[in-house]
Amino acid sequence: MNIEKLKKILEDNKKDAQYYAILYDNSEYNIRFSDSKIISNRVSSNSFVEITSILDKKVGVSSTTDLSEESVIKCIKKSYSIALEAEENEEYTPLIEDEKYDDSTENSLNFEKEVSEIEDYLHLIFNKDKRIKIFGYITGEISNISIINSVNLLKRTTIPRFSYSMNIKNDKLTRSVWRSDISSVSNIDLLKNIYTQLLKDYKYTSIKKDLDPGRYKVVLSPSALGDLLMYMSFFLLAKDADEKRSPFKDLLGKKVFPEYINLYTDPFIKDIKSIPFLIFDTSGVNPIFDIGQSLSKQNIIENGVVKGLISTRYYDQKMKYKNNLPTVSNLILEGSDKEYLDFIKDIDNAIYINNLWYIRSVDPITGLLTGLTRDGVYKIEKGRFVYSINNFRFNQSPIKVLENITSFSKSYLSTPREFGDSFLSSVICPYCVVEDFNLSSVSEAI
Amino acid sequence: MPFDKFTYRNYAKSLLESSNLKKIDFCEIRFQEDLIENIYFKNLNLENIYNLESKGFSVRVLLNGNWGFSSSNIITKVSILEAFSKAVNMVVGLPKGRVTLTTEDIYKDEDIQSVIINPFDTPISEKIQYIKSIQNDLLKYKNIDFSDASLVQVFEKKLYLNSSGSDIYQERTRIYPHFMLYKTIPELTTLKLNTRPVGEGYEYFKNYPFQEEIPKAAENIYEKSKAKSVKEGKYNLLIDPSNLWLTIHESIGHSTEMDRVLLYEANYAGSSFATVSGMGDLVYGSDKVNIVGDRNQKNGLASIKYDDEGVKTTQFDIIKNGVLENLQTNREIASISGMNHSNGCSFADSYSSFPLQRMPNVSLLPNESKDLKLGDMLNIMNDGIYILGDGSWSIDMQRYNFQFTGNIFYEVKSGKIIGMIKDLAYQSNTQDFWKSCIEIGGKSTYSLEGAFNCGKGQPSQVAPVSHGAPISLFENIKVLNTKNEN
Ligand SMILES: [Zn+2]
C-alpha cells in the first residue's frame, strides 16, 4: 500500500463522507541485554492505515494493520458506519485544505549490519571486566508517516530514531549508573561513548553515604528535568485550564516563573528530527479535525510568562486565543552558554540527580508529582562530585521546579528515563540548580 | 480479512515441518488479532469513537541459547518464511547465550472464553445512547460539573504453534467502562465511579448498578470537596479492595516476577528485593497474608487456559502465611533457576511483541476462619482511616518504597465513620507494610479489581491483570498531607 493507492481507494469508497487518512509504516530492531548477556534480539515491521470519515459533523475512526485492498475498503466502510451511528461533534471544524509537505526519505533500516556491529561491541565489553554487570537496550527504527484528506492535503515525513541506553552495576548490586543517548542517524560511537562515560560515573559510586530526607538544593540532569517537563506538558491543555481542571488554571498570560525561563516547542530544531505536523492524539487534547495541521516554533513560557497552552482550532476560535499550540512536538527549555563541566564547577554544595523514575500525578490542583531518584545521586561540593547518596522518593510539582530554578547550563538533547522511550517525544534542556526540592523519604532501592 | 486460523495454521505447519527447522533448536509462531473499540465522552459531547484492528504474527527461534524474534503484519506463507530467516539472522553466529527452556507438555486445544454479550455484537449507537444516558444522570447533579466517560472493549484471538507440536487457539474478551467526575468550585475535586476493568462481555457494563451508585457519587463528591485536610502522622488504615488491589499489584505482583528478580528488567522497569533463594524463607508479611497467582480465576483479566508459550496455566501460592512460596515464571527463567516447569506466566500484548514473563491475577485470600465484615473491621480498627478506590501510585525500582493515594478517605473514631478527609497519601515499604497487616476481612468483603495497562519491557508492553482482595487492616502506617508536600 502507498499513499497514492490509498487516495484512490478512498475516493472510490468514501461515499458522501469527508475523510482523512494516515498511512504509517515502521521497521525496527531492538537488542536487550542483562547481566552482560544479550537476552533478546527482535526485528519487526509494522504498518497500519487509519481512516476517519466525517459525515456532517459526525465522526468515525477505524484502523487496520491488514493493508490488502479488500481490508482497507472494509476499514473505510467501518469508519463510515461508525460516523453514521455517531452523534454530531460540537467541536466540528472544517478540515485543513490544500496544504502540502514532504520531507520523507527513502532510507531503510540496515538492520543486519547494524545489529551485528552492535552485538560484536557488546560482547567485547561484556568480557572486559567481570566485576561489573552490564544491562541495556538498543533500538533502531525508521517510521514513515503520510497524511491525506478529502480537501487536498498531503503531508509526508520520515522519522529515523536510534537510541542507546546502558546501565552498569557491580556484582553485589550495591552500585548502579545509567546513561543514554538518541540520534536521528545510526551511530555506534554514541554507544561507545556511553560506556566510557559510565565507567567514570561508576567511580563516583565507590563511596556511598546516607542522607536523610528533606528539602534540598539539587542539580537536575537534562534527563531528570526532561521527565518533569514531559509530565508538565500533560497539564498544558487550554480547555482544562479554563475549566479549572489543571494546575495551569488562571496562569495564561501571567508571569509565573523567573524571566530567564523560556520554554518552547520547535519541530525544526536541528538536534533531533520531530514530526512537523499534527498526527496522533499525543497530548490528550482531542484534535480530530486538526490532523495534518502544520507545527512551527511556538512559545509556551516566554521570559517567565505563560504564553501559550495546547488547544484545538475550534477552541481557539471560540475563545479568541491567539498564541496556543496544537501539540508539543518536542520541548525545549532555553539554557545559558555555559558548558556542563563549567556549570558544575561553580556549584558549591548541592545534590545531583541523574534520573527520575515512576513519576505519577498526586494532586491535580497543584500539579504535585511523586517519583524516585534513580541510578546516580551524588553530593557536589566545591564544584566536584564527592560521593554518592541513597535514592529518594520525591514529592514535587514541575511548576515549582521551574519557579525554583536559580541557574542552568547550556541545553542538551535529553533522554528522559521514563518518557524518553518514544519517537514522538524529545526534550532539549539544561542541567539546572533547583532550590527547595522535596526529597520526601529514603528509598533503599539500587 | 478475517482471522483465518485454518489457513494460518497451514502456513505455520509448512514452516514447522520444513527442513528449515534443522537450523535451530526451537521455534514458535503466534498469530494474534486484537479488536479494540474505544468510545470517549466529555459531558454530553461524543469526543471520539475509535475502532482498531491489529493483526499479524511473530516467529521466535532459539539457537545456541539465543532468542531471535521477527514479526510482521503481512500474513502469507512467504512472509512467514522471511520472518523466520530474519529471526535466525539476528542470532546466527552469536556466542552461546543463556537461554534454556523447561520441558513442557504438548497441547492441541481450543479455548473460547464464554461471554454473555460480545461487545462487538452490540450496535455502536446503542452503546452511545447508554453512555449518554449515564452522563445525563450524572450531570443532573449540580455538584458534578464535568464527567469524562470512556468505554474500552477488547476482543483478542491467539493461535500458537511450536516446534514441539503444540497447537492452541484461544479467544478472550475484556471491557472497561470508566467515569471520572469533577467538581471545580471552590477548587478541583475529583471522584471516580467504581466501575472496573473485567474479563467479561458487554453484560458487565449493561448490568452495572449505575442507578444506585450515581446519587451516592453526587453526595460523595460534595462531601469530599468540603472534607478537612488530613493531619500527617501514623494511622491505622482499613483498606477496601478497590484501593488495596493496586498496592498488591505494585508491591507483591511485580516484586515476585522472577524475571525482575533475575535482573531482566534492570535497565527499565526495575528489579526486586525478592530472591530465588528466598522461596520458602523470605518473610513478606504477617502470618495473615496469603497471596495466590491464578490465571484460571473467573473474570480475571490475566485468566487464560494456556500462556503465550503454550504452557497450561494454574493456580499457585505466592505468599503463604506471610512467607514467600513461589515466584512467577516463564519457561526460560524457570529453567535458569533450576525449576522443572514454568507456572504459565508468559504474555505478549500484540502479534509484534516479544513474550515476557507477565503477572497472573495476583490476589490476597480472604480470612478463612471468620467472615469479618466492614462493621467488624471498623470495630477492630477502632481509630484510623478507611480508604476506598484507587488514585495515584508509585513504587521504587526494587519495590521497597511506595506511595499511594485513593478515591475516598473516611476518618474513623471508636469504630464509627465520622466524616471524610482529603489530601492523603500513604507511604511505606513493602515488607513493613505487609508485616503490619493485623486483620483480614471475610469472603463477603472480597472483590476482584484490576487494570488494563500494566507496563513492562523494552519496547514497552501493556498487560491486563486482575487482583482480588478482602477489606484488610494495617496498623501504624505513615500518612502524608499532599498539600504540605508541595
Ligand atoms: Zn504493573
Side-chain angles (χ1 to χ4, degrees):
Chain A
M1 185 62 54
N2 59 41
I3 198 74
E4 291 77 18
K5 192 168 173 200
L6 179 61
K7 176 92 188 168
K8 185 172 182 316
I9 299 174
L10 271 158
E11 288 297 327
D12 291 346
N13 292 279
K14 65 177 185 179
K15 296 194 211 162
D16 52 339
Q18 298 185 75
Y19 65 81
Y20 66 80
I22 299 172
L23 179 64
Y24 171 91
D25 76 73
N26 155 288
S27 48
E28 62 179 310
Y29 62 78
N30 330 99
I31 303 165
R32 290 188 94 186
F33 42 106
S34 164
D35 200 358
S36 304
K37 290 189 182 65
I38 289 170
I39 55 169
S40 67
N41 308 270
R42 174 178 177 269
V43 56
S44 173
S45 54
N46 292 296
S47 41
F48 69 81
V49 50
E50 180 185 301
I51 312 281
T52 301
S53 291
I54 303 164
L55 274 170
D56 300 323
K57 295 175 178 178
K58 303 190 296 180
V59 185
V61 187
S62 184
S63 84
T64 180
T65 56
D66 183 342
L67 301 191
S68 63
E69 184 165 342
E70 189 186 343
S71 161
V72 170
I73 291 170
K74 206 183 120 199
C75 186
I76 296 167
K77 287 184 174 157
K78 180 77 189 175
S79 73
Y80 187 93
S81 76
I82 295 172
L84 213 54
E85 290 191 68
E87 305 221 319
E88 287 192 359
N89 189 321
E90 64 190 35
E91 302 197 348
Y92 172 78
T93 312
L95 298 183
I96 296 162
E97 289 184 37
D98 292 324
E99 286 191 11
K100 301 275 187 282
Y101 180 87
D102 189 353
D103 70 6
S104 61
T105 54
E106 293 288 301
N107 294 2
S108 64
L109 204 58
N110 191 352
F111 86 89
E112 282 178 6
K113 181 175 163 284
E114 286 169 21
V115 165
S116 75
E117 201 181 15
I118 291 163
E119 290 182 336
D120 285 349
Y121 178 69
L122 288 175
H123 283 113
L124 184 82
I125 60 173
F126 290 165
N127 292 316
K128 253 189 188 155
D129 182 351
K130 291 286 177 194
R131 290 166 303 177
I132 59 170
K133 292 170 180 280
I134 302 178
F135 305 82
Y137 176 61
I138 290 159
T139 179
E141 65 179 314
I142 294 182
S143 304
N144 292 300
I145 300 149
S146 314
I147 298 185
I148 44 174
N149 74 14
S150 49
V151 286
N152 209 21
L153 176 138
L154 170 57
K155 297 195 176 184
R156 295 180 197 215
T157 189
T158 303
I159 305 288
R161 178 104 164 192
F162 297 83
S163 81
Y164 308 86
S165 69
M166 195 186 286
N167 166 225
I168 290 181
K169 297 181 197 292
N170 61 340
D171 50 5
K172 293 197 187 83
L173 305 175
T174 54
R175 300 161 68 177
S176 185
V177 289
W178 184 90
R179 276 182 187 254
S180 164
D181 210 345
I182 49 171
S183 170
S184 298
V185 289
S186 171
N187 184 358
I188 196 170
D189 288 341
L190 297 178
L191 180 63
K192 293 177 179 173
N193 185 48
I194 287 170
Y195 176 67
T196 311
Q197 293 294 329
L198 278 178
L199 292 181
K200 287 184 193 161
D201 296 347
Y202 182 72
K203 288 195 185 126
Y204 300 140
T205 64
S206 61
I207 309 169
K208 189 171 168 192
K209 295 192 180 177
D210 292 334
L211 187 70
D212 288 336
R215 289 179 189 263
Y216 289 98
K217 179 199 269 196
V218 300
V219 176
L220 297 179
S221 75
S223 169
L225 181 62
D227 264 323
L228 293 175
L229 292 174
M230 284 292 299
Y231 215 111
M232 192 180 80
S233 73
F234 307 151
F235 297 146
L236 288 176
L237 306 185
K239 199 173 176 196
D240 280 4
D242 290 343
E243 291 172 350
K244 308 207 178 303
R245 301 209 269 173
S246 147
F248 274 84
K249 78 176 155 74
D250 305 326
L251 298 188
L252 189 61
K254 294 211 175 113
K255 182 166 183 301
V256 181
F257 308 103
E259 60 283 352
Y260 46 81
I261 297 295
N262 288 291
L263 181 70
Y264 61 97
T265 177
D266 182 0
F268 298 104
I269 194 104
K270 296 221 165 39
D271 309 53
I272 189 133
K273 196 166 176 194
S274 303
I275 303 171
F277 47 85
L278 185 63
I279 50 158
F280 303 121
D281 178 6
T282 54
S283 58
V285 77
N286 176 17
I288 283 189
F289 304 107
D290 297 344
I291 296 293
Q293 189 178 357
S294 298
L295 305 177
S296 56
K297 182 179 172 185
Q298 274 183 289
N299 289 332
I300 300 163
I301 301 168
E302 189 182 325
N303 301 328
V305 177
V306 179
K307 255 315 209 253
L309 298 175
I310 298 170
S311 184
T312 57
R313 290 183 300 150
Y314 166 84
Y315 194 67
D316 284 348
Q317 265 164 29
K318 182 178 160 186
M319 303 298 290
K320 306 205 164 35
Y321 284 135
K322 291 264 182 298
N323 300 320
N324 282 338
L325 41 151
T327 188
V328 286
S329 49
N330 53 26
L331 284 169
I332 300 148
L333 183 69
E334 227 167 68
S336 67
D337 47 17
K338 231 183 224 181
E339 293 288 342
Y340 158 67
L341 285 172
D342 295 330
F343 172 70
I344 296 290
K345 265 184 210 147
D346 288 347
I347 294 167
D348 193 39
N349 188 351
I351 295 167
Y352 177 91
I353 297 171
N354 189 41
N355 288 162
L356 298 178
W357 181 247
Y358 221 125
I359 305 163
R360 292 292 181 276
S361 166
V362 175
D363 183 352
I365 300 171
T366 57
L368 184 76
L369 304 178
T370 193
L372 285 305
T373 63
R374 186 172 183 182
D375 289 336
V377 183
Y378 308 110
K379 186 72 189 298
I380 301 177
E381 284 175 7
K382 298 194 171 67
R384 293 168 55 101
F385 288 81
V386 285
Y387 51 83
S388 80
I389 305 168
N390 48 271
N391 280 308
F392 294 96
R393 166 171 303 288
F394 70 88
N395 278 320
Q396 180 72 47
S397 142
I399 297 170
K400 276 221 165 153
V401 167
L402 287 187
E403 284 175 29
N404 292 346
I405 289 180
T406 50
S407 63
F408 42 58
S409 72
K410 87 183 236 205
S411 285
Y412 295 89
L413 182 57
S414 147
T415 51
R417 186 74 182 265
E418 185 148 354
F419 297 109
D421 226 19
S422 159
F423 73 92
L424 294 168
S425 56
S426 40
V427 184
I428 294 166
C429 66
Y431 293 82
C432 61
V433 171
V434 181
E435 301 287 339
D436 210 28
F437 193 92
N438 181 12
L439 298 170
S440 167
S441 58
V442 167
S443 156
E444 296 166 59
I446 301 296
Chain B
M1 311 283 277
F3 189 88
D4 182 356
K5 61 185 180 196
F6 300 103
T7 306
Y8 298 163
R9 181 176 283 126
N10 287 335
Y11 291 165
K13 281 189 172 163
S14 68
L15 169 66
L16 292 171
E17 289 162 6
S18 74
S19 59
N20 279 314
L21 264 281
K22 290 196 186 109
K23 295 182 201 161
I24 49 135
D25 303 322
F26 175 76
C27 176
E28 58 189 7
I29 305 173
R30 179 169 40 83
F31 300 87
Q32 182 167 337
E33 179 180 64
D34 294 276
L35 300 179
I36 301 169
E37 186 188 277
N38 298 338
I39 304 177
Y40 299 100
F41 266 88
K42 186 166 175 178
N43 285 353
L44 299 178
N45 190 40
L46 173 60
E47 296 261 300
N48 203 354
I49 311 176
Y50 190 99
N51 177 76
L52 187 147
E53 299 180 13
S54 156
K55 185 175 62 179
F57 73 96
S58 60
V59 177
R60 186 163 74 149
V61 301
L62 184 61
L63 174 60
N64 193 27
N66 293 298
W67 279 128
F69 180 96
S70 177
S71 74
S72 171
N73 57 310
I74 300 164
I75 311 177
T76 62
K77 208 172 188 172
V78 174
S79 67
I80 290 169
L81 287 172
E82 280 173 6
F84 175 82
S85 300
K86 281 186 183 175
V88 172
N89 287 345
M90 286 292 273
V91 289
V92 77
L94 286 183
K96 186 164 177 52
R98 77 194 293 183
V99 183
T100 56
L101 299 177
T102 53
T103 305
E104 302 289 348
D105 289 339
I106 293 159
Y107 298 98
K108 292 182 196 296
D109 199 1
E110 274 205 359
D111 187 55
I112 314 281
Q113 180 194 358
S114 68
V115 294
I116 297 166
I117 310 169
N118 183 324
F120 293 86
D121 291 343
T122 307
I124 288 172
S125 52
E126 189 183 318
K127 295 176 199 171
I128 291 170
Q129 288 316 317
Y130 184 45
I131 299 171
K132 207 173 169 184
S133 72
I134 297 163
Q135 292 286 78
N136 255 318
D137 290 345
L138 285 163
L139 294 166
K140 263 185 229 152
Y141 292 91
K142 68 174 192 326
N143 286 316
I144 301 174
D145 295 323
F146 297 98
S147 170
D148 289 350
S150 63
L151 177 66
V152 181
Q153 308 141 89
V154 183
F155 184 39
E156 171 191 285
K157 300 174 185 176
K158 291 185 176 191
L159 173 65
Y160 171 89
L161 293 97
N162 68 23
S163 54
S164 310
S166 281
D167 179 343
I168 298 161
Y169 176 72
Q170 300 182 98
E171 289 181 4
R172 283 290 169 280
T173 306
R174 50 187 180 267
I175 185 167
Y176 185 19
H178 181 258
F179 293 83
M180 182 62 109
L181 315 181
Y182 300 81
K183 176 172 162 50
T184 55
I185 294 164
E187 65 170 15
L188 182 66
T189 305
T190 59
L191 190 93
K192 240 190 286 190
L193 291 190
N194 293 324
T195 53
R196 64 205 62 158
V198 287
E200 294 184 60
Y202 189 71
E203 65 278 6
Y204 169 74
F205 186 36
K206 210 171 168 181
N207 300 332
Y208 189 83
F210 288 106
Q211 290 318 314
E212 280 167 45
E213 189 172 332
I214 288 171
K216 279 188 222 152
E219 279 171 36
N220 282 339
I221 198 166
Y222 175 74
E223 199 185 338
K224 191 174 176 182
S225 73
K226 299 275 174 202
K228 67 174 187 190
S229 202
V230 71
K231 189 169 174 290
E232 59 192 40
K234 294 222 168 176
Y235 290 89
N236 299 321
L237 302 181
L238 181 61
I239 307 184
D240 189 76
S242 55
N243 181 275
L244 192 59
W245 75 269
L246 188 49
T247 311
I248 294 169
H249 175 88
E250 298 294 351
S251 66
I252 295 176
H254 279 302
S255 69
T256 57
E257 293 171 327
M258 196 190 270
D259 67 337
R260 291 183 66 119
V261 170
L262 297 177
L263 306 174
Y264 274 57
E265 290 284 336
N267 185 60
Y268 181 66
S271 59
S272 174
F273 65 88
T275 55
V276 174
S277 61
M279 286 193 280
D281 204 38
L282 180 67
V283 179
Y284 246 81
S286 74
D287 59 5
K288 308 254 180 199
V289 178
N290 288 288
I291 300 268
V292 293
D294 187 357
R295 296 195 74 180
N296 298 318
Q297 193 163 4
K298 192 168 186 285
N299 304 332
L301 291 162
S303 295
I304 194 153
K305 193 167 176 186
Y306 304 94
D307 76 356
D308 284 339
E309 294 181 324
V311 175
K312 198 167 189 177
T313 61
T314 167
Q315 193 208 71
F316 56 96
D317 290 324
I318 293 178
I319 294 172
K320 203 164 183 190
N321 303 324
V323 177
L324 178 67
E325 276 289 302
N326 283 296
L327 297 167
Q328 310 154 39
T329 62
N330 62 16
R331 294 181 67 183
E332 172 183 346
I333 55 176
S335 173
I336 285 177
S337 306
M339 301 166 79
N340 291 328
H341 292 289
S342 157
N343 50 30
C345 295
S346 174
F347 177 80
D349 72 349
S350 83
Y351 68 87
S352 66
S353 297
F354 188 96
L356 303 172
Q357 190 267 294
R358 299 305 308 257
M359 238 183 260
N361 305 302
V362 173
S363 300
L364 175 65
L365 295 180
N367 194 325
E368 283 283 301
S369 51
K370 298 168 273 188
D371 190 13
L372 296 170
K373 301 197 165 54
L374 174 61
D376 305 319
M377 297 295 280
L378 286 167
N379 277 325
I380 296 168
M381 177 165 76
N382 201 34
D383 289 351
I385 298 168
Y386 174 37
I387 302 177
L388 293 118
D390 57 68
S392 160
W393 70 100
S394 173
I395 188 163
D396 72 33
M397 306 68 80
Q398 277 187 286
R399 307 275 145 175
Y400 292 111
N401 175 312
F402 62 65
Q403 179 177 303
F404 292 93
T405 64
N407 195 29
I408 291 177
F409 313 99
Y410 290 107
E411 188 177 12
V412 177
K413 283 253 175 341
S414 307
K416 296 273 176 301
I417 291 175
I418 59 166
M420 259 192 221
I421 47 177
K422 65 179 177 185
D423 305 327
L424 184 153
Y426 62 98
Q427 205 180 65
S428 188
N429 172 300
T430 297
Q431 283 162 295
D432 294 345
F433 178 79
W434 289 103
K435 281 176 189 168
S436 76
C437 178
I438 52 168
E439 195 53 274
I440 301 254
K443 247 189 222 116
S444 61
T445 70
Y446 186 89
S447 146
L448 191 65
E449 312 275 335
F452 261 28
N453 56 350
C454 168
K456 190 175 175 183
Q458 288 184 300
S460 67
Q461 296 186 37
V462 292
V465 60
S466 292
H467 302 282
I471 295 182
S472 305
L473 177 56
F474 301 81
E475 64 177 358
N476 223 12
I477 305 294
K478 180 174 159 188
V479 164
L480 301 177
N481 180 301
T482 54
K483 287 282 183 288
N484 295 347
E485 287 295 298
N486 192 36

